[in-house]
Coordinates of all heavy atoms in Angstrom, one line a residue:
V1 N 54.4 109.4 87.5 CA 55.5 110.2 87.2 C 55.5 111.6 87.9 O 56.4 112.0 88.4 CB 55.7 110.4 85.7 CG1 56.8 111.3 85.4 CG2 56.0 109.1 85.0
L2 N 54.3 112.2 87.8 CA 54.1 113.5 88.5 C 54.4 113.4 90.0 O 55.0 114.3 90.6 CB 52.7 114.1 88.3 CG 52.4 114.5 86.9 CD1 50.9 114.9 86.8 CD2 53.3 115.7 86.5
H3 N 54.0 112.3 90.6 CA 54.3 112.1 92.0 C 55.8 112.1 92.3 O 56.3 112.6 93.2 CB 53.7 110.8 92.5 CG 52.2 110.8 92.4 ND1 51.4 109.7 92.8 CD2 51.3 111.7 92.0 CE1 50.1 110.0 92.6 NE2 50.0 111.2 92.1
R4 N 56.5 111.4 91.4 CA 58.0 111.3 91.6 C 58.7 112.6 91.4 O 59.6 113.0 92.1 CB 58.6 110.3 90.7 CG 58.2 108.9 91.1 CD 59.0 107.9 90.3 NE 58.7 106.5 90.8 CZ 59.3 105.5 90.3 NH1 60.2 105.5 89.5 NH2 58.9 104.3 90.8
W5 N 58.2 113.4 90.3 CA 58.8 114.7 90.0 C 58.6 115.7 91.1 O 59.5 116.4 91.5 CB 58.3 115.2 88.7 CG 58.8 114.5 87.5 CD1 59.8 113.7 87.4 CD2 58.2 114.6 86.2 NE1 60.0 113.3 86.1 CE2 59.0 113.8 85.3 CE3 57.1 115.3 85.7 CZ2 58.7 113.7 84.0 CZ3 56.8 115.2 84.3 CH2 57.6 114.4 83.5
S6 N 57.4 115.7 91.6 CA 57.0 116.7 92.6 C 57.2 116.3 94.0 O 57.3 117.1 94.9 CB 55.5 117.1 92.4 OG 54.7 116.0 92.8
G7 N 57.3 115.0 94.3 CA 57.4 114.5 95.7 C 56.1 114.6 96.4 O 56.1 114.5 97.6
S8 N 55.0 114.8 95.7 CA 53.7 115.0 96.3 C 52.7 114.0 95.8 O 52.6 113.8 94.6 CB 53.2 116.4 96.1 OG 51.8 116.5 96.5
Q9 N 52.0 113.3 96.7 CA 51.0 112.4 96.3 C 49.7 113.1 96.0 O 48.7 112.5 95.5 CB 50.7 111.3 97.4 CG 51.9 110.4 97.6 CD 52.1 109.5 96.4 OE1 51.2 109.0 95.8 NE2 53.4 109.2 96.1
S10 N 49.6 114.4 96.3 CA 48.3 115.1 96.2 C 48.1 115.7 94.8 O 47.0 116.2 94.5 CB 48.2 116.2 97.2 OG 49.3 117.2 97.0
I11 N 49.1 115.7 93.9 CA 48.9 116.2 92.6 C 48.0 115.3 91.7 O 48.3 114.1 91.6 CB 50.2 116.5 91.8 CG1 51.0 117.6 92.5 CG2 50.0 116.8 90.4 CD1 52.3 117.9 91.9
Q12 N 46.9 115.8 91.3 CA 46.0 115.0 90.4 C 45.9 115.7 89.1 O 45.2 116.7 89.0 CB 44.6 114.9 91.1 CG 44.6 114.2 92.4 CD 45.0 112.7 92.2 OE1 44.6 112.1 91.2 NE2 45.9 112.2 93.1
M13 N 46.6 115.2 88.1 CA 46.5 115.9 86.8 C 45.9 114.9 85.8 O 46.3 113.7 85.8 CB 48.0 116.2 86.4 CG 48.1 116.9 85.1 SD 49.2 118.2 85.3 CE 48.9 119.2 83.9
P14 N 45.0 115.3 85.0 CA 44.4 114.3 84.1 C 45.4 114.0 83.0 O 46.4 114.6 82.8 CB 43.2 115.1 83.5 CG 43.5 116.6 83.7 CD 44.4 116.6 84.9
I15 N 45.1 112.9 82.3 CA 45.9 112.4 81.2 C 45.0 112.2 80.0 O 43.9 111.8 80.1 CB 46.6 111.1 81.7 CG1 47.7 110.6 80.6 CG2 45.6 110.0 82.0 CD1 48.5 109.5 81.1
S16 N 45.6 112.5 78.8 CA 44.8 112.3 77.6 C 44.8 110.9 77.2 O 45.6 110.1 77.6 CB 45.4 113.2 76.5 OG 46.7 112.6 76.0
Y17 N 43.8 110.6 76.3 CA 43.7 109.2 75.8 C 45.0 108.8 75.1 O 45.5 107.7 75.1 CB 42.6 109.1 74.9 CG 41.2 109.3 75.5 CD1 40.3 110.2 75.0 CD2 40.9 108.6 76.7 CE1 39.1 110.5 75.6 CE2 39.7 108.8 77.3 CZ 38.8 109.8 76.8 OH 37.6 110.0 77.4
S18 N 45.6 109.8 74.4 CA 46.8 109.5 73.6 C 48.0 109.2 74.6 O 48.7 108.2 74.4 CB 47.2 110.7 72.8 OG 48.5 110.6 72.2
E19 N 48.1 110.0 75.6 CA 49.2 109.7 76.6 C 48.9 108.4 77.3 O 49.9 107.6 77.6 CB 49.2 110.8 77.7 CG 49.7 112.1 77.1 CD 49.4 113.3 78.0 OE1 48.4 113.3 78.7 OE2 50.3 114.2 78.1
A20 N 47.7 108.1 77.6 CA 47.3 106.8 78.3 C 47.7 105.6 77.4 O 48.1 104.6 77.9 CB 45.8 106.8 78.6
S21 N 47.6 105.8 76.1 CA 47.9 104.6 75.2 C 49.4 104.3 75.3 O 49.7 103.1 75.1 CB 47.4 105.0 73.8 OG 48.3 106.0 73.2
W22 N 50.2 105.2 75.6 CA 51.6 105.0 75.7 C 52.0 104.0 76.9 O 53.0 103.4 76.8 CB 52.4 106.2 75.9 CG 52.3 107.3 74.9 CD1 51.8 107.2 73.6 CD2 52.6 108.7 75.1 NE1 51.8 108.4 73.0 CE2 52.3 109.4 73.9 CE3 53.1 109.4 76.1 CZ2 52.4 110.7 73.7 CZ3 53.2 110.8 76.0 CH2 52.9 111.4 74.8
T23 N 51.1 104.0 77.9 CA 51.4 103.2 79.1 C 51.2 101.7 78.8 O 51.7 100.9 79.6 CB 50.5 103.6 80.2 OG1 49.1 103.3 79.9 CG2 50.6 105.1 80.5
G24 N 50.4 101.3 77.8 CA 50.1 99.9 77.7 C 48.9 99.5 78.6 O 48.6 98.3 78.6
L25 N 48.4 100.4 79.3 CA 47.3 100.1 80.3 C 45.9 100.6 79.8 O 45.0 100.5 80.5 CB 47.6 100.8 81.6 CG 48.9 100.5 82.3 CD1 49.1 101.4 83.6 CD2 49.1 99.0 82.6
F26 N 45.9 101.1 78.6 CA 44.7 101.7 78.0 C 44.0 100.7 77.1 O 44.6 100.0 76.3 CB 45.1 103.0 77.2 CG 43.9 103.7 76.7 CD1 43.1 104.4 77.5 CD2 43.7 103.8 75.3 CE1 42.0 105.2 77.0 CE2 42.7 104.6 74.8 CZ 41.8 105.2 75.7
N27 N 42.6 100.7 77.2 CA 41.8 99.8 76.4 C 41.2 100.7 75.3 O 40.3 101.6 75.6 CB 40.7 99.1 77.2 CG 39.9 98.2 76.4 OD1 39.5 98.5 75.2 ND2 39.5 97.1 77.0
F28 N 41.6 100.6 74.1 CA 41.1 101.4 73.0 C 39.6 101.2 72.7 O 38.9 102.1 72.3 CB 41.9 101.2 71.7 CG 43.3 101.7 71.7 CD1 44.3 100.8 72.0 CD2 43.6 103.0 71.5 CE1 45.6 101.3 72.1 CE2 44.9 103.4 71.5 CZ 45.9 102.6 71.8
S29 N 39.1 100.0 72.9 CA 37.7 99.7 72.6 C 36.8 100.5 73.6 O 35.7 100.9 73.1 CB 37.4 98.2 72.8 OG 38.2 97.5 71.8
S30 N 37.2 100.5 74.8 CA 36.3 101.2 75.8 C 36.7 102.6 76.2 O 36.0 103.3 77.0 CB 36.2 100.3 77.1 OG 37.5 100.3 77.7
C31 N 37.9 103.0 75.7 CA 38.5 104.3 76.0 C 38.6 104.5 77.6 O 38.1 105.5 78.1 CB 37.7 105.5 75.4 SG 38.0 105.7 73.7
S32 N 39.1 103.4 78.2 CA 39.3 103.5 79.6 C 40.5 102.6 80.0 O 41.1 102.0 79.1 CB 38.0 102.8 80.3 OG 37.9 101.5 80.0
W33 N 40.9 102.7 81.2 CA 42.0 101.9 81.7 C 41.6 100.4 81.5 O 40.4 100.0 81.8 CB 42.3 102.2 83.1 CG 42.9 103.6 83.3 CD1 42.3 104.6 84.0 CD2 44.1 104.1 82.9 NE1 43.0 105.7 84.0 CE2 44.2 105.5 83.3 CE3 45.2 103.6 82.1 CZ2 45.2 106.3 83.0 CZ3 46.2 104.4 81.8 CH2 46.3 105.8 82.2
D34 N 42.5 99.6 81.1 CA 42.2 98.2 80.8 C 42.1 97.4 82.1 O 43.1 97.1 82.7 CB 43.3 97.6 79.9 CG 42.9 96.2 79.3 OD1 42.4 95.4 80.1 OD2 43.1 96.0 78.1
S35 N 40.9 96.9 82.5 CA 40.7 96.3 83.8 C 41.5 94.9 83.8 O 41.9 94.6 84.9 CB 39.2 96.1 84.0 OG 38.6 95.3 83.0
E36 N 41.6 94.2 82.7 CA 42.3 92.9 82.8 C 43.8 93.2 83.1 O 44.4 92.4 83.9 CB 42.2 92.2 81.4 CG 40.8 91.6 81.2 CD 40.7 90.9 79.9 OE1 41.7 90.2 79.6 OE2 39.7 90.9 79.2
V37 N 44.4 94.2 82.5 CA 45.8 94.5 82.7 C 46.0 95.0 84.1 O 46.9 94.6 84.8 CB 46.3 95.5 81.7 CG1 47.7 95.9 82.0 CG2 46.3 95.0 80.3
L38 N 45.1 95.8 84.6 CA 45.2 96.3 86.0 C 45.1 95.2 87.0 O 45.8 95.2 88.0 CB 44.1 97.4 86.2 CG 44.1 98.6 85.4 CD1 43.1 99.6 85.8 CD2 45.5 99.3 85.4
E39 N 44.2 94.2 86.8 CA 44.1 93.1 87.7 C 45.4 92.3 87.7 O 45.8 91.8 88.8 CB 42.9 92.2 87.2 CG 41.5 92.7 87.6 CD 40.4 91.9 87.0 OE1 40.6 90.6 86.9 OE2 39.3 92.4 86.8
M40 N 46.0 92.1 86.5 CA 47.3 91.4 86.5 C 48.3 92.1 87.3 O 49.1 91.5 88.1 CB 47.7 91.1 85.1 CG 47.0 90.1 84.3 SD 47.7 89.6 82.7 CE 47.9 91.2 81.9
L41 N 48.4 93.4 87.1 CA 49.4 94.2 87.8 C 49.1 94.2 89.3 O 50.1 94.2 90.1 CB 49.4 95.7 87.3 CG 49.9 95.9 85.9 CD1 49.7 97.3 85.5 CD2 51.4 95.5 85.9
D42 N 47.9 94.2 89.7 CA 47.6 94.2 91.2 C 48.0 93.0 91.9 O 48.2 93.0 93.1 CB 46.1 94.4 91.4 CG 45.6 95.9 91.2 OD1 46.5 96.8 91.3 OD2 44.4 96.1 91.0
S43 N 48.3 91.9 91.1 CA 48.8 90.7 91.7 C 50.3 90.7 92.0 O 50.8 89.8 92.7 CB 48.4 89.5 90.9 OG 49.1 89.5 89.7
C44 N 51.0 91.7 91.5 CA 52.4 91.8 91.7 C 52.7 92.5 93.0 O 52.1 93.4 93.4 CB 53.0 92.7 90.6 SG 52.8 92.1 88.9
D45 N 53.7 91.9 93.7 CA 54.0 92.4 95.0 C 54.5 93.9 95.0 O 54.2 94.6 95.9 CB 55.2 91.5 95.7 CG 54.6 90.2 96.1 OD1 53.4 90.0 96.3 OD2 55.4 89.2 96.1
C46 N 55.2 94.3 93.9 CA 55.7 95.6 93.8 C 54.6 96.6 93.8 O 54.6 97.7 94.3 CB 56.7 95.8 92.7 SG 56.0 95.5 91.1
I47 N 53.5 96.3 93.1 CA 52.3 97.2 93.0 C 51.6 97.2 94.3 O 51.2 98.3 94.7 CB 51.3 96.7 91.8 CG1 52.0 96.8 90.5 CG2 50.1 97.5 91.9 CD1 52.4 98.2 90.0
K48 N 51.5 96.1 95.0 CA 50.9 96.1 96.3 C 51.6 97.0 97.3 O 51.0 97.7 98.0 CB 50.8 94.6 96.8 CG 49.8 93.8 96.1 CD 49.9 92.4 96.6 CE 49.0 91.4 95.8 NZ 49.1 90.0 96.2
A49 N 52.9 96.9 97.2 CA 53.8 97.7 98.1 C 53.6 99.2 97.8 O 53.6 100.0 98.7 CB 55.2 97.3 98.0
C50 N 53.6 99.5 96.5 CA 53.5 100.9 96.1 C 52.1 101.5 96.2 O 52.0 102.7 96.7 CB 53.9 101.0 94.6 SG 53.6 102.5 93.8
C51 N 51.1 100.8 95.9 CA 49.7 101.3 95.8 C 48.8 101.0 96.9 O 47.7 101.5 97.0 CB 49.1 100.9 94.5 SG 50.0 101.4 93.0
G52 N 49.2 100.0 97.7 CA 48.3 99.6 98.9 C 47.1 98.9 98.4 O 47.0 98.3 97.3
D53 N 46.1 99.0 99.3 CA 44.8 98.2 99.1 C 44.0 98.8 97.9 O 43.2 98.1 97.3 CB 43.9 98.3 100.3 CG 44.5 97.5 101.5 OD1 45.3 96.6 101.2 OD2 44.2 97.8 102.6
A54 N 44.3 100.0 97.5 CA 43.5 100.6 96.4 C 43.9 100.0 95.1 O 43.2 100.0 94.1 CB 43.8 102.1 96.3
G55 N 45.1 99.4 95.0 CA 45.6 98.9 93.8 C 46.0 100.0 92.8 O 45.9 101.1 93.1
I56 N 46.5 99.6 91.7 CA 47.0 100.5 90.7 C 45.8 101.4 90.2 O 46.1 102.6 89.9 CB 47.7 99.9 89.5 CG1 48.5 100.9 88.7 CG2 46.8 99.1 88.6 CD1 49.6 100.3 87.8
A57 N 44.6 100.9 90.1 CA 43.5 101.8 89.6 C 43.3 103.0 90.6 O 42.8 104.0 90.1 CB 42.2 100.9 89.5
G58 N 43.6 102.8 91.8 CA 43.4 103.9 92.8 C 44.4 105.0 92.6 O 44.2 106.1 93.2
V59 N 45.5 104.8 91.8 CA 46.5 105.9 91.7 C 46.6 106.4 90.2 O 47.3 107.3 90.0 CB 47.9 105.4 92.1 CG1 47.9 105.1 93.6 CG2 48.4 104.3 91.3
L60 N 45.8 105.8 89.3 CA 45.9 106.2 87.9 C 45.1 107.5 87.8 O 44.1 107.8 88.4 CB 45.3 105.2 87.0 CG 46.1 103.9 86.8 CD1 45.3 102.9 86.0 CD2 47.4 104.2 86.2
P61 N 45.6 108.4 86.9 CA 45.0 109.7 86.7 C 43.7 109.6 85.9 O 43.5 108.6 85.2 CB 46.0 110.5 85.9 CG 46.9 109.5 85.3 CD 46.9 108.3 86.1
E62 N 42.9 110.6 86.0 CA 41.6 110.6 85.2 C 41.9 110.7 83.8 O 42.8 111.5 83.4 CB 40.8 111.9 85.7 CG 39.6 112.1 84.9 CD 38.9 113.4 85.2 OE1 39.5 114.2 86.0 OE2 37.9 113.7 84.7
L63 N 41.2 110.0 82.9 CA 41.3 110.1 81.5 C 40.4 111.2 81.0 O 39.3 111.3 81.3 CB 40.9 108.8 80.8 CG 41.8 107.6 81.2 CD1 41.1 106.3 80.7 CD2 43.2 107.7 80.5
V64 N 41.0 112.1 80.1 CA 40.2 113.2 79.5 C 40.5 113.3 78.0 O 41.6 113.0 77.6 CB 40.4 114.5 80.2 CG1 40.0 114.5 81.7 CG2 41.9 114.9 80.1
D65 N 39.5 113.9 77.4 CA 39.7 114.3 76.0 C 40.1 115.8 76.1 O 39.3 116.7 76.4 CB 38.5 114.1 75.2 CG 38.6 114.6 73.7 OD1 39.6 115.2 73.4 OD2 37.7 114.3 72.9
F66 N 41.3 116.2 75.9 CA 41.8 117.5 76.1 C 41.1 118.5 75.2 O 41.1 119.7 75.4 CB 43.3 117.7 76.0 CG 44.0 117.2 77.2 CD1 45.2 116.5 77.1 CD2 43.5 117.5 78.5 CE1 45.9 116.1 78.2 CE2 44.2 117.1 79.6 CZ 45.4 116.4 79.5
D67 N 40.5 118.1 74.1 CA 39.7 119.0 73.2 C 38.4 119.5 74.0 O 37.8 120.4 73.6 CB 39.3 118.4 71.9 CG 40.6 118.2 71.0 OD1 41.5 119.0 71.2 OD2 40.5 117.3 70.1
E68 N 38.1 118.7 75.0 CA 36.9 119.1 75.8 C 37.2 119.8 77.1 O 36.3 120.2 77.8 CB 36.1 117.8 76.1 CG 35.5 117.1 74.8 CD 34.8 115.8 75.1 OE1 34.7 115.5 76.3 OE2 34.4 115.2 74.1
V69 N 38.4 120.0 77.4 CA 38.8 120.7 78.6 C 39.0 122.2 78.3 O 39.7 122.6 77.4 CB 40.2 120.1 79.1 CG1 40.6 120.8 80.4 CG2 40.0 118.6 79.4
E70 N 38.3 123.0 79.1 CA 38.2 124.4 78.9 C 39.6 125.1 78.9 O 39.8 125.9 78.0 CB 37.3 125.1 79.9 CG 36.9 126.5 79.6 CD 36.2 126.6 78.3 OE1 35.3 125.8 77.9 OE2 36.4 127.6 77.5
W71 N 40.4 124.8 79.8 CA 41.7 125.5 79.9 C 42.6 125.2 78.7 O 43.4 126.0 78.3 CB 42.5 125.3 81.2 CG 42.8 123.9 81.5 CD1 42.1 123.0 82.2 CD2 44.0 123.2 81.1 NE1 42.8 121.8 82.3 CE2 44.0 121.9 81.6 CE3 45.1 123.5 80.3 CZ2 45.0 120.9 81.4 CZ3 46.1 122.6 80.1 CH2 46.0 121.3 80.6
V72 N 42.4 124.0 78.1 CA 43.2 123.7 76.9 C 42.6 124.5 75.7 O 43.4 125.0 74.9 CB 43.1 122.2 76.6 CG1 43.7 121.9 75.2 CG2 43.7 121.4 77.7
K73 N 41.3 124.7 75.6 CA 40.7 125.5 74.5 C 41.2 126.9 74.6 O 41.6 127.5 73.6 CB 39.2 125.5 74.6 CG 38.6 124.2 74.3 CD 37.1 124.3 74.4 CE 36.4 122.9 74.2 NZ 35.0 123.0 74.4
V74 N 41.3 127.5 75.8 CA 41.7 128.9 76.0 C 43.2 129.0 75.6 O 43.6 129.9 74.9 CB 41.5 129.3 77.5 CG1 42.2 130.7 77.7 CG2 40.0 129.4 77.7
S75 N 44.0 128.0 76.0 CA 45.4 128.0 75.7 C 45.7 127.9 74.2 O 46.5 128.6 73.7 CB 46.1 126.8 76.4 OG 47.5 126.8 76.1
K76 N 44.9 127.1 73.5 CA 45.0 127.0 72.1 C 44.6 128.3 71.4 O 45.3 128.7 70.4 CB 44.1 125.9 71.5 CG 44.7 124.5 71.8 CD 43.7 123.5 71.1 CE 44.2 122.1 71.4 NZ 43.3 121.1 70.8
M77 N 43.6 129.0 71.9 CA 43.2 130.3 71.3 C 44.3 131.3 71.4 O 44.5 132.1 70.5 CB 41.9 130.7 71.9 CG 40.7 129.9 71.5 SD 39.0 130.5 72.1 CE 39.3 131.3 73.6
K78 N 44.9 131.3 72.6 CA 46.0 132.3 72.8 C 47.2 132.0 71.9 O 47.8 132.9 71.4 CB 46.4 132.2 74.3 CG 45.4 132.9 75.2 CD 45.9 132.8 76.6 CE 44.9 133.4 77.6 NZ 45.4 133.3 79.0
S79 N 47.5 130.8 71.7 CA 48.7 130.5 70.9 C 48.4 130.7 69.4 O 49.3 130.9 68.6 CB 49.2 129.0 71.1 OG 48.2 128.1 70.7
D80 N 47.1 130.5 69.0 CA 46.7 130.7 67.6 C 46.6 132.2 67.2 O 46.7 132.6 66.1 CB 45.3 130.1 67.3 CG 45.4 128.6 67.3 OD1 46.6 128.0 67.2 OD2 44.4 127.9 67.4
G81 N 46.3 133.0 68.2 CA 46.0 134.4 67.9 C 47.0 135.4 68.1 O 47.3 136.4 67.7

């Protein structure tokens, strides 16, 4: 979505586990992108055309726990104080 909004493929923004779960591509057991779902998607022609040889896993954002990201902690402290 960020790529479409910005028109730039170079934006790399992490995504929280909560946000990832909305996609249907998240595996709750392993807290990672679901490899079985990604393999199924990679077999679709539309994904091949969009993502190239890297497949969909090559374009998915990094998963992070935002409670562990420093800039989020600082932002929370500013809004609380």
Side-chain angles (χ1 to χ4, degrees):
V1 172
L2 288 173
H3 297 180
R4 287 188 181 188
W5 286 344
S6 68
S8 172
Q9 293 291 325
S10 63
I11 291 181
Q12 295 297 320
M13 183 136 196
I15 187 171
S16 72
Y17 298 126
S18 176
E19 293 166 322
S21 71
W22 303 340
T23 68
L25 305 175
F26 184 70
N27 181 322
F28 290 96
S29 299
S30 64
C31 284
S32 63
W33 295 113
D34 192 315
S35 59
E36 289 183 38
V37 174
L38 299 183
E39 285 177 27
M40 287 190 307
L41 288 173
D42 282 339
S43 67
C44 297
D45 290 336
C46 61
I47 296 296
K48 289 177 186 175
C50 169
C51 302
D53 292 335
I56 195 165
V59 297
L60 290 173
E62 174 189 3
L63 295 168
V64 296
D65 180 349
F66 281 142
D67 288 335
E68 296 176 3
V69 177
E70 192 62 37
W71 62 265
V72 173
K73 290 179 184 177
V74 171
S75 178
K76 284 182 181 178
M77 288 187 326
K78 287 181 180 177
S79 65
D80 290 343

